[in-house]
Amino acid sequence: MLILGIESSCDETGIALYDSAAGLLAHALHSQVAMHAEYGGVVPELASRDHIRRVVPLLREALAQSGRALAEVDAVAYTRGPGLSGALLVGCAFAEALALALDKPTIPVHHLEGHLLSPLLSRTPPTFPFVALLVSGGHTQLMRVTAVGEYELLGETLDDAAGEAFDKSAKLLGLPYPGGALLSQLAELGTSGVYQLPRPMQHSGDLNFSFSGLKTAVLTLVREQDEPLSEVFKADAARAFQEAIVEVLVKKSLKALKQTGLKQLVVAGGVGANRQLRAMLDDEARRKRFRVFYPELEFCTDNGAMIALAGCLRLQAGSPAKPAGAFAVQPRWPLMDISASGTQ
Ligand code: KG4
Ligand code: ZN
């Protein structure tokens, strides 16, 4: 079974071909980061227009890489939500029209399900069940993943997502959008312990998070400084911020493992690329004897491969594909609303 996957929920256009027997055959990606950087954040209308420009060339690129023909595609999977409505509509309309022309069914996929299942693309995948820490620009959740479509929310952020906190704090330190990865590079140059920042909700007794106070603490630190901010201050503040957020993410992940009795942790989403988070989790995994899995770096952030994979696993798990043609997107869509048997 050959599945074409299309991702367009935010500022990345991703196209991939996934074969149920041979695995991932090809994936092509265009990131709009450089275009939005000028505005300090994603401009939804520009995002939609750029998806329109990229989707056909990316499809051609992925097909050429895969050595397969469009006519061989058995079903078209695409991100139905959550995300920016205009951006989602581009991928959705393209996927539905293409499937209609090919006389093939479609599989609308939940973006977060794509992230959750993305570690299964790696050479050493986890086995079900596992705990997933989903840390992206829009979401921060701990889940128990029992099987494809069987997800239990264990805890989530009450305000900002982890990636959002990284990006907002980076902005406060004068770094360009999206500052998460840049802040983490800067943190490596900083000295630990120069500034003390709070570890929000660390002792809340549950598995929820809150990061908006941490961002406010960075703002307070910045306001105490003379302008322009010195490079040393920026590095030390970045270090303090990163240590605080990583410590909370690690502590809550350990608590989730303890609470569920599971021995496998999967880290998905853009913040999963963070080196300090990975180092600390690897260290804890050695000491506490659990296994931790990360998607390959290229599959941590948004991509079409995870959507093609999720679509394929859904079909294999018995979810019905739907006839192409009629469609809608779901910009707001809690993951818990999808059932084990289908995405509707
Ligand atoms: O999963 P993703 O591509 O998009 C969403 O679905 O939201 O995640 C993007 C987020 C951004 O907030 C970005 O700043 C953050 O992941 N990010 C990082 C790192 N690389 C990307 N945050 C911390 N450290 C990194 N190395
Ligand atoms: Zn994402």
Side-chain angles (χ1 to χ4, degrees):
M1 196 162 49
L2 182 64
I3 308 296
L4 172 66
I6 299 174
E7 155 63 29
S8 72
S9 65
C10 188
D11 57 350
E12 261 105 21
T13 324
I15 304 275
L17 285 145
Y18 187 88
D19 183 279
S20 52
L24 185 66
L25 300 181
H27 81 107
L29 187 76
H30 175 77
S31 169
Q32 305 174 355
V33 159
M35 180 180 79
H36 296 297
E38 206 181 315
Y39 304 92
V42 176
V43 184
E45 181 59 25
L46 292 183
S48 315
R49 287 167 191 242
D50 201 63
H51 286 306
I52 294 173
R53 264 195 298 276
R54 308 289 173 182
V55 71
V56 172
L58 287 171
L59 173 61
R60 291 209 176 105
E61 187 183 327
L63 281 169
Q65 251 181 56
S66 73
R68 306 288 283 269
L70 198 49
E72 292 176 66
V73 167
D74 293 300
V76 183
Y78 64 91
T79 306
R80 176 185 164 116
L84 300 170
S85 50
L88 288 167
L89 268 172
V90 176
C92 166
F94 180 73
E96 293 287 350
L98 185 65
L100 197 62
L102 295 171
D103 196 20
K104 295 288 158 59
T106 55
I107 318 162
V109 171
H110 194 292
H111 180 79
L112 295 186
E113 182 171 37
H115 275 304
L116 276 188
L117 299 176
S118 62
L120 302 180
L121 287 165
S122 82
R123 278 180 289 278
T124 48
T127 50
F128 295 115
F130 53 80
V131 168
L133 171 69
L134 184 64
V135 269
S136 72
H139 297 87
T140 300
Q141 300 183 327
L142 273 162
M143 306 268 206
R144 181 197 165 98
V145 180
T146 307
V148 174
E150 282 182 48
Y151 313 120
E152 182 195 343
L153 183 66
L154 302 171
E156 65 184 332
T157 183
L158 304 178
D159 40 58
D160 291 353
E164 191 180 356
F166 262 96
D167 294 341
K168 287 179 176 171
S169 299
K171 196 169 183 178
L172 291 171
L173 295 175
L175 301 175
Y177 168 86
L182 292 173
L183 184 147
S184 83
Q185 283 167 22
L186 197 58
E188 306 216 348
L189 306 173
T191 306
S192 179
V194 177
Y195 302 107
Q196 288 301 327
L197 292 178
R199 268 77 173 141
M201 311 270 295
Q202 197 175 357
H203 303 295
S204 62
D206 57 22
L207 294 171
N208 290 330
F209 304 90
S210 163
F211 295 121
S212 72
L214 191 51
K215 172 197 65 194
T216 310
V218 173
L219 176 64
T220 308
L221 264 192
V222 167
R223 286 201 172 136
E224 286 165 0
Q225 302 299 308
D226 294 329
E227 292 280 348
L229 300 175
S230 76
E231 291 308 311
V232 173
F233 165 76
K234 286 199 241 178
D236 292 344
R239 179 80 181 208
F241 168 81
Q242 180 167 277
E243 281 179 357
I245 200 161
V246 164
E247 194 177 315
V248 176
L249 291 173
V250 171
K251 287 255 164 75
K252 297 271 171 164
S253 301
L254 295 181
K255 195 173 164 66
L257 286 169
K258 198 166 170 200
Q259 190 174 304
T260 56
L262 297 177
K263 291 279 175 211
Q264 296 179 103
L265 175 71
V266 154
V267 184
V271 183
N274 187 272
R275 290 244 299 266
Q276 196 179 358
L277 176 64
R278 288 183 174 216
M280 206 163 156
L281 283 175
D282 288 343
D283 196 42
E284 291 291 350
R286 268 190 300 275
R287 295 200 303 124
K288 304 220 162 66
R289 294 175 188 284
F290 63 89
R291 293 189 69 193
V292 56
F293 299 83
Y294 311 96
E296 313 295 332
L297 276 179
E298 59 185 337
F299 301 132
C300 272
T301 46
D302 293 349
N303 62 85
M306 67 183 193
I307 302 302
L309 170 78
C312 186
L313 293 178
R314 277 273 168 194
L315 280 187
Q316 286 176 331
S319 297
K322 71 168 203 53
F327 63 90
V329 293
Q330 223 158 315
R332 288 175 189 275
W333 189 9
L335 183 61
M336 290 307 112
D337 287 1
I338 67 175
S339 68
S341 58
T343 52
Q344 306 295 309

